[in-house]
Amino acid sequence: MGAMMSNVSVLNVNLYGEPIGTLTNVGGDRTLFAFTDAYIENAKRPTLGLSFKDEFGTLQTEFRPYQKRVMPFFSNLLPEGHLRKYLAEQAGVNHEREFYLLWALGRDLPGAITITPADDEPWPPEVADGADDNRDDHRENALRFSLAGVQLKFSAVMEASGGLTIPASGVGGSWIVKLPSREFAGVPENEFSMMRLASLVGMNVPAIDLIGIDAIKNLPEGIDKIGKNAFVIERFDRLSDGSRVHIEDFAQVYGLYPDEKYGNGSFRNIAQVIAAEGNDADIIEYVRRLTFNMLIGNADMHMKNWSLIYPDRRYVSLAPAYDFVATVPYLPGDATNMKISRAKVFSAFSTDELTHLAVKAAIPKKMALDAAKETVQSFQEHWAKEASHLPMSDDVRSAVAAHMKTVPILDELS
């Protein structure tokens, strides 16, 4: 028994700093999640996520084991793509071994979750894919970098679509910094312009800014050759005093792994959850954001680009807006990449398609159409007034102007 036990590693899953469950690696990269008895028995318990409730609202407590990856809810807390590979390298872990990645990065995750070793267990040397030296140094490295304090390697910035996204602590709070893209010109300027427009149209947008690359410390050499500016947005899962606000994205809600974020979800699915769990203001805000992103031609509104937030720790609200980018200038075409209600193309976004979504999601039809109408009209007014002053490039401006005319709801509700 003793020899077997030594293969078992336990991580505490903490919510607002209180342990509510454990992730156990039972050996052979199999992991199991369980809630603590205290959390299960607490009638006023803070909500970890909607996916942990059954259809009657009762907490689910039985979970199957997962191999190599952890269950989707926890997998979605980890970075994706190049950033994950880079951080894994910094921590000396194989980027597919998610239990150990959570161990390395668990003190700075999205929302109010932290993941810490249960018995102050030392960092396990056997995960170090052939690397030597002290694991604990590696762990510090990974964490400091995730707080934007480590010199980035150039290779870490070669994300395909948007440049690298890094959390940073700076003046007055916590920010997400998005660097320029190697592949597409002017993404930070595009995102700043679209988010600014969304806020003018009345959507809930966090504080945003466009800052010169030269104002950011510890960036790789040569980033300034890719673009002049970075887009920054205030994190809504951190308060100014450093405390954490709990959030979850819709991949977590639906139990999807990050690589299933387009194909296995739909805008109707998101609407169903917001209609069931949120209030009228959330529903109206959702329809407005959906309409806005159809008009600007954003084909990247996948399940991880919508989140819920827990202002009172128990009940959800739609989290503030993020990741509004017009993708049509870079990837022309009609595909929305995620199903609306029946269709998967911008040219199908009509009052009829929106009505279908509303009826299927149990949203009052008039509420949905009124919200869309208000958005279309406000969008047209602000586009006419502001488009020429916003820092997007002429290519982006003309691509969006041409695209919006192909979205039927524009004419129908003008």
Side-chain angles (χ1 to χ4, degrees):
M1 187 70 192
M4 202 183 114
M5 283 306 289
S6 66
N7 295 336
V8 175
S9 290
V10 182
L11 297 177
N12 280 335
V13 175
N14 313 291
L15 191 57
Y16 311 101
E18 297 293 320
I20 57 143
T22 51
L23 267 173
T24 304
N25 187 322
V26 294
D29 263 347
R30 274 163 71 81
T31 58
L32 200 53
F33 173 70
F35 283 117
T36 62
D37 292 344
Y39 181 77
I40 293 168
E41 287 153 19
N42 178 5
K44 295 199 168 83
R45 62 177 166 262
T47 308
L48 177 63
L50 294 184
S51 60
F52 296 102
K53 296 199 303 192
D54 67 15
E55 67 225 87
F56 307 108
T58 311
L59 186 73
Q60 289 183 317
T61 55
E62 296 294 314
F63 307 103
R64 67 177 180 81
Y66 286 81
Q67 188 73 32
K68 205 162 199 183
R69 300 178 99 165
V70 291
M71 67 193 284
F73 182 86
F74 296 104
S75 181
N76 278 292
L77 298 171
L78 290 165
E80 298 175 76
H82 293 283
L83 179 57
R84 174 189 289 212
K85 289 197 174 103
Y86 178 74
L87 287 174
E89 201 180 295
Q90 292 289 305
V93 186
N94 178 324
H95 67 92
E96 290 176 347
R97 299 180 77 185
E98 296 188 335
F99 179 86
Y100 294 106
L101 273 180
L102 284 170
W103 189 330
L105 302 174
R107 285 174 289 175
D108 189 36
L109 298 170
I113 297 175
T114 49
I115 291 183
T116 50
D119 305 313
D120 291 328
E121 195 180 340
W123 181 239
E126 70 278 4
V127 299
D129 294 334
D132 50 4
D133 70 60
N134 186 343
R135 274 317 95 208
D136 279 317
D137 289 353
H138 268 302
R139 193 145 127 242
E140 279 308 312
N141 250 348
L143 191 74
R144 260 212 317 279
F145 159 75
S146 75
L147 300 172
V150 161
Q151 183 72 29
L152 276 175
K153 269 204 216 123
F154 197 65
S155 61
V157 188
M158 292 175 35
E159 276 297 350
S161 48
L164 189 71
T165 301
I166 48 176
S169 295
V171 183
S174 295
W175 299 80
I176 298 283
V177 178
K178 299 175 88 169
L179 299 175
S181 158
R182 282 177 69 86
E183 201 173 334
F184 305 120
V187 177
E189 292 81 0
N190 176 333
E191 185 165 1
F192 176 84
S193 301
M194 298 309 147
M195 295 291 284
R196 177 84 189 106
L197 203 53
S199 95
L200 290 167
V201 174
M203 274 160 268
N204 179 9
V205 172
I208 55 170
D209 204 354
L210 199 58
I211 60 171
I213 289 290
D214 50 12
I216 309 173
K217 292 188 175 63
N218 295 328
L219 286 184
E221 298 292 309
I223 284 279
D224 51 345
K225 294 189 179 62
I226 297 179
K228 290 194 289 288
N229 296 311
F231 173 74
V232 295
I233 181 165
E234 192 163 21
R235 285 179 69 162
F236 45 77
D237 62 341
R238 297 287 183 270
L239 297 177
S240 53
D241 63 3
S243 60
R244 298 165 192 243
V245 182
H246 194 46
I247 56 169
E248 65 177 321
D249 68 38
F250 273 86
Q252 289 174 297
V253 173
Y254 276 100
L256 303 173
Y257 281 110
D259 51 16
E260 304 170 308
K261 63 192 178 187
Y262 292 105
N264 293 26
S266 72
F267 293 110
R268 189 213 293 184
N269 291 151
I270 297 174
Q272 281 163 323
V273 172
I274 292 168
E277 301 282 343
N279 58 26
D280 287 359
D282 291 322
I283 295 169
I284 290 165
E285 175 77 2
Y286 176 68
V287 173
R288 300 190 72 187
R289 288 187 206 172
L290 177 61
T291 305
F292 179 86
N293 280 285
M294 292 289 152
L295 293 175
I296 65 169
N298 182 0
D300 200 35
M301 285 308 284
H302 51 69
M303 299 293 270
K304 287 187 73 64
N305 279 348
W306 299 89
S307 288
L308 297 170
I309 192 162
Y310 290 86
D312 66 356
R313 300 191 172 195
R314 284 177 60 99
Y315 298 104
V316 304
S317 191
L318 184 60
Y322 59 100
D323 281 3
F324 288 7
V325 180
T327 60
V328 286
Y330 313 120
L331 304 164
D334 198 22
T336 51
N337 287 339
M338 199 162 84
K339 212 153 121 186
I340 303 166
S341 190
R342 297 165 294 198
K344 225 174 158 172
V345 286
F346 291 113
S347 58
F349 191 67
S350 59
T351 48
D352 183 57
E353 180 73 0
L354 180 59
T355 301
H356 188 273
L357 177 145
V359 170
K360 293 285 185 189
I363 289 172
K365 186 175 120 180
K366 183 176 183 326
M367 184 188 284
L369 290 173
D370 286 352
K373 182 170 190 167
E374 190 192 344
T375 308
V376 165
Q377 295 181 354
S378 180
F379 176 84
Q380 284 178 301
E381 175 198 333
H382 286 101
W383 180 265
K385 269 201 319 227
E386 301 291 336
S388 56
H389 312 308
L390 290 167
M392 66 184 115
S393 68
D394 292 341
D395 291 355
V396 169
R397 203 173 282 110
S398 54
V400 173
H403 164 80
M404 65 179 77
K405 298 189 177 78
T406 68
V407 184
I409 207 161
L410 187 77
D411 269 351
E412 293 171 339
L413 296 180
S414 293

